[in-house]
Amino acid sequence: QVQLVESGGGSVQAGGSLRLSCAVTGDIYSSNVLAWFRQAPGKERMGVAAIYSGGGHTYYADSVKGRFTISQDNGRNTVWLQMNGLKPEDTAMYYCAAGSVVLGNWVESDYYNHWGQGTQVTVSS
């Protein structure tokens, strides 16, 4: 059984940085993508970034391109989200997810069958 445990959230001022980590245990080999989603109060869950196992290709939401970087270790035991230039609108609960998702569908949360419990990120102006 796959388990995902996020850490690294916190409160920062605008312009600051945070690095989120997601520890992955269990049989991850049936999942070809690891991703980060976020959900702000009153809003739908949104795909932030994804990394595929084949070739390590990465994908980002337009709102975070150039500021966030997703990466994983060789064994796919940990996936990170480096967040720089944080803005108040980045405030949300951030979730790690794993799934078998075809290219192009990575932003669709319904395709992911494993989720962490989330870590809160708060950015003040």
Side-chain angles (χ1 to χ4, degrees), residues 5 10 13 15 40 51 57 68 75 78 95 103 106 108 112 121 123-124:
V5 179
Q13 291 191 328
I51 185 165
H57 297 290
F68 290 12
T78 306
Y95 298 91
L103 196 63
W106 73 268
E108 302 295 337
Y112 294 82
V121 172
V123 185
S124 58

Side-chain angles (χ1 to χ4, degrees), residues 18-97:
L18 282 173
R19 191 188 197 202
L20 305 184
S21 297
C22 174
V24 181
T25 57
D27 181 8
I28 195 63
Y29 298 105
S30 61
S31 300
N32 68 332
V33 60
L34 293 168
W36 287 95
F37 284 75
R38 69 186 184 190
Q39 187 167 20
K43 295 189 177 181
E44 292 188 355
R45 192 167 292 190
M46 172 192 127
V48 175
I51 185 165
Y52 278 76
S53 59
H57 297 290
T58 59
Y59 300 89
Y60 299 92
D62 287 343
S63 58
V64 306
K65 278 181 183 176
R67 300 188 297 123
F68 290 12
T69 303
I70 188 171
S71 60
Q72 64 185 11
D73 66 343
N74 289 338
R76 301 181 76 207
N77 296 313
T78 306
V79 59
W80 297 278
L81 185 68
Q82 178 66 45
M83 306 186 294
N84 299 327
L86 282 162
K87 304 176 181 179
E89 51 264 43
D90 294 319
T91 295
M93 185 72 78
Y94 282 71
Y95 298 91
C96 181

